[in-house]
Amino acid sequence: MTGSPSSNQPNSHSTSPTHHGHTMKEDRLSKYRNGREKDTTVTKYRPLEVVTFNPPQDAIRHGYGESGMRYIFGDLPLDDFEEGKIKEMHAYLKSRHVSLKNTAFCDNHLLLRYLQGNEYDFVKAWDDIKRHVRWRQNFRMIEDKDKLEKLLRKGYCYIHGRDKLLRPIIVFRAKAFLDGEEPDNIIHVVYYWFEFVITNMLAWNRVEQWRVIMDLQDVTFYNAPISLLKDIAANLQRNYRGYLAQMSFINAPIIFWGLWQAISLVLPQSTRDKIVLCTSDYKSEFLKWINPSQLEKRYHGTATDVTSFREPVLPPLH
């Protein structure tokens, strides 16, 4: 059964990639989610329109070769270039006496996410995988339910609607970051919603990405949470490879256009290409990708502005 936002997430441990005969414990992605990312059960969070959606080819992948980009992985057939790069990666790992057997990364589609995200640089991809394994090993949801509830209701980020390709929209309110809360707690709220979307709102082989609106209203040169924004960007691209469709920064002060250079340094080119710094007139940009009924009025849509952030707000898709 699909869980609600307050569902507990299991923590399991298993053998991680072995390197030169050494083995470390890994909180395996496959065990952690317990296969729920493959669930296509119709629920209030994953309606029939999502489960039966047939994405157009350019929503599955665009282009070919190193300049191409896959957006939907699941267990779809891979092309010759992708298969070839995966074989080369396995050969590289074998030369380093590394085995991915019995790990989440024995799934070639997951491995491809990290290869593509690192522009098929095997050294960078392997370093990225090791970082992710260490992160997943130590990753824990906030176990204090009262604390989690309090944090979720503050609305650091929340879910509202889906875009025209039925990808969930995650809204970040940067001004909420300024309330004095510990950055680590805010990061854990972000993780919570990312994991919730993956296990409850996406559809295997059909809808496998999300769209982000980063609202910088009331952020100034003096209070800009640059370090926190960099942490969010870095963790998004390192630990959730391939899930971001596009991130739109809106209501950005002029100074942010310069500060953006500092944030973008932690991102590879493939991720920077997905980020849009919108001018004050972003309505036309949004409406290219999102129907008005799926946008709040404050973002030039027709839906009621969200004031309660605890549950995803999902207007009808009709």
Side-chain angles (χ1 to χ4, degrees), residues 30-304:
S30 55
K31 288 289 186 181
Y32 179 82
R33 292 178 183 149
N34 200 26
R36 288 196 296 149
E37 72 274 16
K38 300 180 182 180
D39 188 5
T40 55
T41 304
V42 174
T43 70
K44 66 178 181 179
Y45 303 120
R46 188 192 298 112
L48 182 63
E49 294 94 330
V50 173
V51 172
T52 59
F53 180 62
N54 289 314
Q57 183 58 40
D58 61 358
I60 297 173
R61 67 163 293 120
H62 176 75
Y64 181 81
E66 292 193 13
S67 61
M69 184 68 63
R70 177 172 289 277
Y71 308 117
I72 297 179
F73 294 80
D75 56 7
L76 295 177
L78 304 179
D79 64 30
D80 292 342
F81 173 81
E82 293 168 328
E83 292 279 12
K85 286 298 182 181
I86 288 170
K87 289 180 181 178
E88 290 178 35
M89 181 64 180
H90 281 294
Y92 166 77
L93 294 175
K94 185 176 181 180
S95 73
R96 295 178 58 84
H97 309 289
V98 173
S99 172
L100 299 179
K101 186 178 181 181
N102 297 324
T103 76
F105 286 94
C106 67
D107 176 357
N108 283 338
H109 290 73
L110 178 60
L111 184 61
L112 180 61
R113 285 181 181 271
Y114 282 75
L115 278 171
Q116 177 178 276
N118 286 282
E119 299 170 337
Y120 299 99
D121 183 314
F122 302 143
V123 176
K124 290 182 179 178
W126 173 230
D127 286 343
D128 202 15
I129 288 170
K130 288 186 290 185
R131 270 196 303 267
H132 177 76
V133 166
R134 287 193 295 269
W135 174 79
R136 184 61 67 174
Q137 177 184 354
N138 296 310
F139 174 72
R140 296 292 183 274
M141 286 293 188
I142 294 175
E143 296 180 354
D144 184 329
K145 291 185 178 180
D146 290 337
K147 178 180 179 180
L148 178 60
E149 285 288 329
K150 180 181 177 181
L151 290 169
L152 291 173
R153 292 183 187 281
K154 288 187 175 182
Y156 299 114
C157 61
Y158 62 95
I159 298 168
H160 185 280
R162 292 177 179 269
D163 70 9
K164 292 180 180 179
L165 292 174
L166 304 187
R167 298 172 294 204
I169 301 168
I170 305 175
V171 182
F172 286 80
R173 299 191 311 143
K175 68 178 180 181
F177 299 168
L178 308 176
D179 69 354
E181 185 60 65
E182 288 292 328
D184 187 61
N185 286 335
I186 297 175
I187 288 288
H188 271 76
V189 171
V190 174
Y191 290 153
Y192 173 88
W193 283 122
F194 285 169
E195 292 294 326
F196 178 82
V197 169
I198 289 172
T199 57
N200 294 283
M201 299 186 70
L202 302 185
W204 190 250
N205 290 339
R206 297 178 184 275
V207 180
E208 294 189 2
Q209 289 187 306
W210 53 61
R211 179 176 294 276
V212 168
I213 296 174
M214 181 67 74
D215 187 349
L216 297 177
Q217 184 179 7
D218 296 337
V219 171
T220 69
F221 173 78
Y222 300 101
N223 65 13
I226 295 301
S227 178
L228 181 55
L229 290 173
K230 286 175 68 175
D231 284 347
I232 291 172
N235 281 285
L236 172 60
Q237 64 98 4
R238 286 177 182 171
N239 298 316
Y240 295 93
R241 286 287 186 190
Y243 285 104
L244 177 65
Q246 188 179 72
M247 178 184 289
S248 301
F249 284 88
I250 63 171
N251 297 324
I254 294 176
I255 188 64
F256 182 80
W257 296 74
L259 296 174
W260 165 245
Q261 300 304 316
I263 298 175
S264 64
L265 290 176
V266 303
L267 304 175
Q269 187 61 48
S270 58
T271 301
R272 291 199 294 271
D273 290 342
K274 297 179 180 180
I275 294 175
V276 178
L277 299 182
C278 298
T279 64
S280 57
D281 182 20
Y282 55 81
K283 179 179 180 179
S284 59
E285 175 67 24
F286 273 15
L287 294 183
K288 283 193 302 186
W289 300 103
I290 308 170
N291 288 320
S293 65
Q294 300 297 307
L295 275 172
E296 298 167 75
K297 290 181 180 178
R298 60 177 153 230
Y299 300 133
H300 304 294
T302 59
T304 302

